Amino acid sequence: MRNDDLDAARQIFDGMDEKLVAAWNAMISGVLSACANAGMFLHGKQVHAYILRTEEILLQDFPLSMNNTLITLYWKCGKIDEAGMIFKNMSIRDLVSWNAILSAYVNAGRIGGAKSFFSEMTEKNLLTWTVIISGLAQNGFGEEALKLFDQMKLEGFKPCDYAFAGAITSCAVLAALENGRQLHAQLVRFGF
């Protein structure tokens, strides 16, 4: 659903002689994503219920991309516990799944849960680090955020401008002007 034209996607799908599972999953994921981005929780929940009623698959056996989209739908619409249940019931998870649930907990201000998910993650990418650093900083945990910012660099990740913003916010939370100036100098040196 790159062009957000769900009606056209549905017309194409309806016109297919053979309904491919991959096409169906892509269309449903696109609808759920559009609902999440528009804040249309009830519509997204109806689509979720429709899938549960009509498909011969168990919730834990949903395609990975659909489960990831469901997590995003539920957390973007303020249903963090439901997003957590979907995550918990997934038989397979990938980095997208982990980043989605981490974002859910950070955005809801559930920092204890976010830290638990972060520590459980066996694989992390720049987005993972940026989400947890920014979340800690925005929720008053500046010292922890700065420690993770340093750990991220030690593990070989080059901070992006958003990671720097989280670290600088941490300095503001801690009233650490000199640290903030040092981070600003690094930011300029990296060309941001």
Side-chain angles (χ1 to χ4, degrees):
M1 305 319 120
R2 291 184 183 165
N3 295 325
D4 295 325
D5 193 353
L6 298 176
D7 290 332
R10 179 61 194 232
Q11 287 175 354
I12 291 169
F13 181 77
D14 287 343
M16 295 173 74
D17 291 332
E18 185 180 329
K19 305 293 191 251
L20 301 174
V21 172
W24 172 252
N25 291 342
M27 189 182 75
I28 293 299
S29 291
V31 169
L32 290 170
S33 183
C35 290
N37 292 333
M40 297 172 56
F41 175 68
L42 290 179
H43 186 70
K45 188 174 180 180
Q46 288 173 342
V47 172
H48 185 193
Y50 173 80
I51 298 164
L52 291 171
R53 280 193 321 271
T54 61
E55 296 300 310
E56 295 179 11
I57 55 175
L58 298 173
L59 182 61
Q60 66 267 19
D61 296 327
F62 269 30
L64 183 60
S65 63
M66 196 178 300
N67 271 328
N68 290 342
T69 306
L70 283 168
I71 291 170
T72 302
L73 167 72
Y74 280 89
W75 82 255
K76 281 190 172 183
C77 294
K79 309 293 183 189
I80 307 306
D81 293 330
E82 290 86 345
M85 288 303 296
I86 292 166
F87 181 83
K88 179 183 170 191
N89 289 322
M90 291 172 68
S91 57
I92 298 171
R93 299 179 187 120
D94 63 2
L95 188 56
V96 173
S97 314
W98 284 96
N99 282 339
I101 199 67
L102 181 65
S103 295
Y105 275 73
V106 163
N107 281 292
R110 296 185 182 185
I111 298 304
K115 290 189 323 189
S116 287
F117 284 118
F118 181 80
S119 67
E120 286 179 51
M121 294 176 75
T122 56
E123 179 186 0
K124 297 175 175 89
N125 64 8
L126 185 57
L127 177 62
T128 310
W129 287 99
T130 301
V131 166
I132 194 70
I133 290 165
S134 297
L136 288 168
Q138 292 168 3
N139 286 280
F141 297 92
E143 192 171 329
E144 281 183 74
L146 287 175
K147 285 179 182 176
L148 286 179
F149 183 78
D150 289 338
Q151 183 181 342
M152 174 187 72
K153 292 190 302 184
L154 287 173
E155 292 191 21
F157 290 94
K158 180 183 174 191
C160 65
D161 51 346
Y162 292 105
F164 270 108
I168 290 170
T169 300
S170 298
C171 292
V173 166
L174 297 169
L177 181 61
E178 189 52 39
N179 285 16
R181 284 183 178 154
Q182 290 171 1
L183 286 170
H184 182 259
Q186 288 178 31
L187 191 63
V188 170
R189 226 178 17 253
F190 283 139
F192 290 111

